[in-house]
Amino acid sequence: MIIGSRALAALVVVSLLPGCATVVRGTKGKYTITSMPPAADVALSTGQTCVTPCKLKIKRKNGFTATISKPGYVTKTETVESKVSGGGGAAAAGNILAGGIIGGIVDGTNGSLNSFYPKALDVKLDPAPAGSEAAATTTPTSGSN
C-alpha cells in the first residue's frame, strides 16, 4: 500500500510534535508551601524564594530541597522528590499507543511525566530553645527611639 503525500506529510508533522505529557501537563508544576507559624522564609535549592504561604511554579524534571526559616524558630530543610506520576504514565502510554516515539523521548527527558512528592509542603516550625542563636534573632516587639 502506498501512502499518499498528504498522509505522509501529516504523519511526519505528528511525529515531530512534542510529547503528549508536554502538551497536556507542561514541564512545570505549581507547588504549595505552608508553615505554622505563617510568614516564614523559604529558600529552594532551585534558587527560588518566597514567604509562606506561597505557591511556586517549578520545573518537574528534578526534585529540590526547601529550607524554611523564621526568627525565633528552628530552621527545617525538607526534600521534595520528582517521580513519574500516574498522570505522566498515562501520557507516556498514549505516546506509545499513538506511535509517537519522538514525543515519548521528549516527555521522558523534560520532566513532563513527573510529579512532586509530597504533593505540597506543610511545615510546622518548632520554637528555638531559649538562649540559642535562632532565639536570639527574634525581632523585639517594642522599640525605643
Side-chain angles (χ1 to χ4, degrees), residues 41-110:
D41 295 317
V42 178
L44 302 185
S45 58
T46 62
Q48 294 172 281
T49 60
C50 65
V51 175
T52 61
C54 57
K55 197 175 276 191
L56 300 166
K57 201 161 192 178
I58 304 171
K59 287 187 177 186
R60 289 191 185 105
K61 186 173 183 176
N62 300 308
F64 58 92
T65 59
T67 302
I68 301 93
S69 61
K70 183 170 181 149
Y73 293 86
V74 177
T75 298
K76 286 191 176 180
T77 299
E78 301 286 339
T79 299
V80 178
E81 295 180 323
S82 175
K83 299 190 261 185
V84 174
S85 68
N95 272 337
I96 292 167
L97 292 174
I101 294 170
I102 293 174
I105 292 169
V106 169
D107 283 349
T109 59
N110 69 8

